[in-house]
Amino acid sequence: MDILWQRLIKSLLIAVTVVVALVILYFVALDYLYVVLGGVLVGGLYALAALGLALVFGVMKILNLAHGSMMVLGAYLSFWFFTLYGIDPFISVVLVIPILFLLGFAIEYFLMDKVATLTAHQPVLVAFGLMVVLESLFMLLWTADPRGLVLPYSGARLTVGGLHISLTRFVACVLSVVGLVCLAIIMNRTLIGRAIQAVSQDFKAACFVGINARRMYQLAFGIGAAFAGFAGSLISVIYAFEPTSGLAFVIKALAVIVLAGSGRISGLIIAGVVLGIIESVGAMIIGGGFKDAISFAVFLLVLLLKPEGLFGRRG
Amino acid sequence: MLEVRSLNVYYGNIQVLYDVSFKVEKNELVALIGSNAAGKTTLLDTIIGWLHPKSGSITFNGFRIDHLPPHKVVELGVSIVPEGRMLFPALTVLENLMLGAFTRSARKKIQENLEKVFEIFPALKERKQQLAGTLSGGEQQMLAIGRALMANPTLLLLDEPSQGLAPIIVTKIFSLIKELNNWVTILMVEQNAYKALKVASRVYILENGRIVREGESQELVKDDGIRKAYLGV
Ligand SMILES: Nc1ncnc2c1ncn2[C@@H]1O[C@H](COP(=O)(O)OP(=O)(O)OP(=O)(O)O)[C@@H](O)[C@H]1O
Ligand SMILES: [Mg+2]
């Protein structure tokens, strides 16, 4: 209970600081406030993108390089549902999530499971191969043209206290946070979640208490893919994407994880928001074309200067 | 209840168990004594399904279990207290115990078994919210046994329960094991031959992957060869 209170107070303090900073910006530099707000909104999405990758890494110790391509797949599926059937991406996301879950489950079941018993770096190569395969598939199905979704309400804005906020970005951010909280509940409050945690702490011990550890790997990989698809759907309403966008996405997700230093969900949210702000402020200063380069630079700088991240422990 | 026949177990090309056969009857407390690297852990790992034999068979209540994975073997009613305890250090005592009752059959009896475990190990009840990694060695061993009991086993496998514990604690653990035998069949693997011979009804001796002796404990304690090799007298 005590730990919970401490964490609550800590989060409240951070929230208050952020609000105070925003209020100051409001009066001092309105331009910058918009940039920062944009960063905050996109930060939720970054955290969501990082979540699935962190889960798979935490449980299976596999760096799933195909995670970004799975996000792109989620984006293309949303695009398909919208252009072929006119289904709004905020609705079709409930289809994209289970589709990606099944895909992830199947990939682990038929592919990763078979190579996991070989050497340690084999699964990473498989993930890399998967990324290449997915990219080619996207090219085949949807061509190399950049795609984006233009919804009837794409230009809509929310106006709060004289501030205009993009409706789609706001909804995407809220849904991201909902997704993050859902996963936290699954992991901490359900039997399956606790079993997945047990497997990640000690594989052999988990087997010995009667957990089907390989099944938990399949579930974890499926959940990771489902969350990639979730993030991808949300991205499709905000950004343009193309078959090869996956690499930039996975690097961004990695940057969030490295910055957070732990797979804890609160840490990922804060790191996502921090990265979002750094990126949008940086883009304003040196130009929008450098956005991806900025997250890559953050990734490298954190590794160089503070390898334990914001919330991790050294060693 | 458990019958192991002509078991040959390998790690890759290296054979570790040679033609191992033995039996555990219902309600018995059987000890398997062997020195370092005799193959004791390998044997228990094979029974629980972590390893699979190259040849030979393991039957439990008439079922062949030698090709089942651990979660299936546990579901059938075999439970293990592994070497080095293998707790989930970042989880609390209570969470460790709850994970012990993961199988479907164990979940049905979770409250009943939890009360039983807390009755046998009152120290665990006092510390149920403490992280497992912060318990003392003796408490950790109790938790490992408690977690195994939560699986509602009919056969309990114990891998060196005395390992790394102070002499007083060792005595305590062994008397607890003797008590546990009132409601569960036990197969215990030990290096501490003196203590094992004291609590077990029957004993097998494993040397370099082979069973070299077997017999009633009372009879083996009197044996000169055993006294010299294992009891240091
Ligand atoms: N994973 C493994 N791969 C290869 N060889 C192994 C492996 N585990 C154990 N061995 C070898 O198998 C033999 C038996 O080991 P085992 O752990 O079963 O012995 P033990 O009787 O439990 O010993 P101890 O009393 O030290 O626990 C040893 O020679 C050991 O080196
Ligand atoms: Mg051993």
Side-chain angles (χ1 to χ4, degrees):
Chain A
M1 245 9 207
D2 281 356
I3 299 174
L4 216 67
W5 277 113
Q6 273 176 20
R7 267 197 234 158
L8 202 71
I9 290 168
K10 220 162 115 187
S11 329
L12 272 178
L13 273 178
I14 294 172
V16 168
T17 321
V18 171
V19 170
V20 168
L22 291 179
V23 169
I24 293 172
L25 271 179
Y26 181 74
F27 290 110
V28 179
L30 198 57
D31 289 356
Y32 272 90
L33 179 58
Y34 273 116
V35 174
V36 171
L37 264 185
V40 172
L41 289 181
V42 85
L45 195 48
Y46 285 180
L48 186 70
L51 185 67
L53 188 64
L55 176 73
V56 168
F57 188 76
V59 176
M60 306 172 64
K61 324 290 183 262
I62 290 176
L63 178 56
N64 180 20
L65 284 172
H67 187 77
S69 300
M70 289 175 170
M71 288 166 69
V72 178
L73 179 60
Y76 274 120
L77 287 177
S78 299
F79 172 78
W80 227 359
F81 281 124
F82 184 68
T83 44
L84 294 185
Y85 308 105
I87 306 174
D88 188 284
F90 286 122
I91 292 169
S92 67
V93 70
V94 300
L95 298 172
V96 172
I97 290 174
I99 292 173
L100 265 289
F101 174 81
L102 289 178
L103 180 77
F105 190 96
I107 288 173
E108 217 297 323
Y109 190 91
F110 292 110
L111 217 61
M112 296 290 186
D113 199 20
K114 304 288 176 281
V115 294
T117 44
L118 302 176
T119 58
H121 52 266
Q122 221 87 356
V124 178
L125 292 180
V126 173
F128 182 72
L130 196 64
M131 180 176 109
V132 175
V133 169
L134 282 174
E135 281 181 4
S136 317
L137 193 74
F138 300 152
M139 207 84 89
L140 208 72
L141 286 173
W142 290 289
T143 76
D145 295 341
R147 307 281 182 175
L149 281 179
V150 184
L151 303 169
Y153 51 85
S154 278
R157 282 152 182 269
L158 290 172
T159 307
V160 186
L163 280 175
H164 306 292
I165 300 169
S166 153
L167 178 68
T168 47
R169 286 186 185 224
F170 180 73
V171 174
C173 182
V174 170
L175 287 182
S176 299
V177 174
V178 169
L180 288 155
V181 171
C182 282
L183 190 73
I185 291 171
I186 294 174
M187 290 307 285
N188 294 313
R189 296 273 176 273
T190 68
L191 195 66
I192 292 289
R194 263 178 274 131
I196 291 176
Q197 282 191 46
V199 173
S200 76
Q201 279 185 33
D202 191 331
F203 186 88
K204 193 172 180 182
C207 291
F208 282 179
V209 297
I211 293 170
N212 183 349
R214 300 235 66 100
R215 179 57 40 81
M216 295 307 136
Y217 272 11
Q218 288 141 19
L219 286 174
F221 206 78
I223 294 172
F227 275 80
F230 189 4
S233 291
L234 298 181
I235 283 173
S236 75
V237 297
I238 299 178
Y239 297 110
F241 52 91
E242 53 192 26
T244 53
S245 298
L247 191 59
F249 289 171
V250 80
I251 287 175
K252 235 167 251 194
L254 261 182
V256 173
I257 293 174
V258 169
L259 191 59
S262 85
R264 269 250 290 291
I265 287 171
S266 50
L268 288 180
I269 294 182
I270 295 170
V273 168
V274 169
L275 186 72
I277 293 173
I278 294 176
E279 226 186 57
S280 53
V281 171
M284 175 166 165
I285 297 168
I286 61 175
F290 292 98
K291 257 193 170 165
D292 293 342
I294 291 169
S295 29
F296 195 56
V298 168
F299 172 65
L300 290 180
L301 282 176
V302 173
L303 282 184
L304 272 176
L305 304 176
K306 201 170 179 335
E308 74 277 18
L310 293 176
F311 308 103
R313 268 161 291 169
R314 205 177 271 274
Chain B
M1 174 172 237
L2 181 78
E3 185 166 8
V4 172
R5 232 184 261 156
S6 318
L7 211 59
N8 289 291
V9 179
Y10 291 69
Y11 287 106
N13 295 324
I14 305 159
Q15 185 162 9
V16 173
L17 295 181
Y18 298 84
D19 210 31
V20 169
S21 302
F22 68 93
K23 256 190 208 171
V24 181
E25 302 294 352
K26 199 165 160 48
N27 298 330
E28 268 192 312
L29 199 177
V30 173
L32 215 134
I33 298 169
S35 53
N36 265 315
K40 305 182 294 295
T41 300
T42 305
L43 181 59
L44 292 192
D45 279 0
T46 311
I47 295 173
I48 200 77
W50 176 256
L51 300 171
H52 299 292
K54 195 158 207 169
S55 64
S57 71
I58 306 170
T59 49
F60 177 63
N61 292 333
F63 273 115
R64 280 286 290 263
I65 59 167
D66 41 285
H67 290 290
L68 297 179
H71 65 271
K72 293 254 169 73
V73 178
V74 176
E75 180 88 56
L76 285 174
V78 185
S79 175
I80 186 168
V81 178
E83 177 166 48
R85 320 194 227 291
M86 293 191 193
L87 299 171
F88 302 110
L91 298 182
T92 65
V93 168
L94 192 62
E95 285 168 329
N96 269 275
L97 290 174
M98 288 303 184
L99 273 170
F102 188 80
T103 61
R104 207 163 300 166
S105 45
R107 255 177 271 158
K108 287 187 200 132
K109 292 197 153 182
I110 201 163
Q111 276 312 323
E112 190 186 329
N113 283 330
L114 189 64
E115 272 163 36
K116 229 182 220 172
V117 167
F118 281 155
E119 199 186 307
I120 307 168
F121 306 112
L124 294 183
K125 190 171 186 179
E126 282 163 34
R127 299 176 180 279
K128 63 183 174 187
Q129 298 302 344
Q130 194 173 324
L131 292 183
T134 63
L135 295 175
S136 75
E139 287 163 348
Q140 289 195 13
Q141 189 61 56
M142 289 175 197
L143 179 54
I145 296 174
R147 186 180 66 180
L149 291 174
M150 289 299 289
N152 201 39
T154 47
L155 173 64
L156 184 65
L157 309 176
L158 293 166
D159 196 340
E160 296 201 44
S162 72
Q163 195 189 38
L165 299 179
I168 316 170
I169 314 284
V170 171
T171 309
K172 197 172 157 195
I173 291 274
F174 276 108
S175 69
L176 277 166
I177 290 169
K178 183 95 192 161
E179 213 172 293
L180 283 182
N181 185 224
N182 290 329
W183 45 286
V184 60
T185 310
I186 296 177
L187 170 62
M188 172 174 68
V189 141
E190 257 302 337
Q191 277 196 57
N192 190 332
Y194 176 72
K195 293 279 185 189
L197 279 165
K198 242 177 148 176
V199 294
S201 45
R202 263 180 339 109
V203 174
Y204 291 90
I205 294 178
L206 190 69
E207 259 175 31
N208 300 319
R210 290 184 173 84
I211 302 255
V212 292
R213 279 293 298 270
E214 63 167 291
E216 305 282 322
S217 311
Q218 281 104 335
E219 163 196 326
L220 286 189
V221 209
K222 291 181 208 134
D223 186 289
D224 273 347
I226 302 289
R227 287 168 74 94
K228 262 198 202 110
Y230 289 95
L231 303 176
V233 284

